[in-house]
Amino acid sequence: MKTLSPSERAEILPSLDGWSLVEDRDAIRKRFVFEDFNAAFGWMTRVALAAETMNHHPEWSNVYRSVDVTLSSHDARGLTRRDVELAQRMDQFASGITRDA
Amino acid sequence: MKTLSPSERAEILPSLDGWSLVEDRDAIRKRFVFEDFNAAFGWMTRVALAAETMNHHPEWSNVYRSVDVTLSSHDARGLTRRDVELAQRMDQFASGITRDA
């Protein structure tokens, strides 16, 4: 799979909700904050099942109710449509259950 | 809960399998490597259920088949017996299913 073209980046990346470009690599990141660990890990479990089905996995860190996610396609060495798709699935699963940090 | 005393540290910490002290804070850490994402996240799920029951949660990062764990007791501002207990549960759940990095 190819990395996103400049025109794809200009069109798709601004449409993602709350995702930002990582400075020193071709990747996007977002922090998700939930009510508590139960909610955070429940969300991670839904994402894990989707990621496994897509065979495309996030880099993520969890501390209690917070999850920091970085997405990039290692095989393509940069952002691809699979990252965009996984970001959108993550947002979909988090809809209505996130909290202020 | 109090942080571990010097004598408790001298006795308990060397007995933990593969855990090392973090340099700049009172915490321990270990990297667990599994066969694939399925095995890594399956292990994380067992740990999450135990952590929730203990009401003591790890700080952890997952990239594909690797999980980096840091344990410390935020309320006590350092290492306590709960960290030792969670470390031992993590090792127990990982027994026989870890791989070389």
Side-chain angles (χ1 to χ4, degrees), chain A residues 37-38 41 44-45 48 51-52 55 57-64 74, chain B residues 37-38 41 44-45 48 51-52 55 57-64 74:
Chain A
F37 178 78
N38 180 298
F41 200 82
M44 289 177 74
T45 303
E52 191 73 341
N55 193 27
H57 304 86
E59 303 170 29
W60 48 4
S61 299
N62 161 240
V63 179
Y64 196 53
H74 292 200
Chain B
F37 178 79
N38 180 298
F41 200 82
M44 290 178 73
T45 303
E52 191 73 341
N55 192 27
H57 304 85
E59 304 170 27
W60 47 3
S61 299
N62 161 241
V63 179
Y64 195 55
H74 292 199

Side-chain angles (χ1 to χ4, degrees), chain A residues 5-70:
Chain A
S5 69
S7 63
E8 287 173 323
R9 285 162 194 269
E11 179 192 340
I12 297 172
L13 297 184
S15 75
L16 292 177
D17 179 24
W19 292 85
S20 58
L21 283 168
V22 175
E23 278 196 11
D24 50 354
R25 53 186 287 214
D26 192 22
I28 52 175
R29 69 175 167 203
K30 182 175 178 178
R31 171 168 291 180
F32 293 87
V33 179
F34 302 89
E35 185 174 351
D36 51 23
F37 178 78
N38 180 298
F41 200 82
W43 174 81
M44 289 177 74
T45 303
R46 291 194 71 186
V47 171
L49 295 174
E52 191 73 341
T53 302
M54 294 168 66
N55 193 27
H56 189 56
H57 304 86
E59 303 170 29
W60 48 4
S61 299
N62 161 240
V63 179
Y64 196 53
R65 66 191 188 101
S66 175
V67 185
D68 285 305
V69 179
T70 300

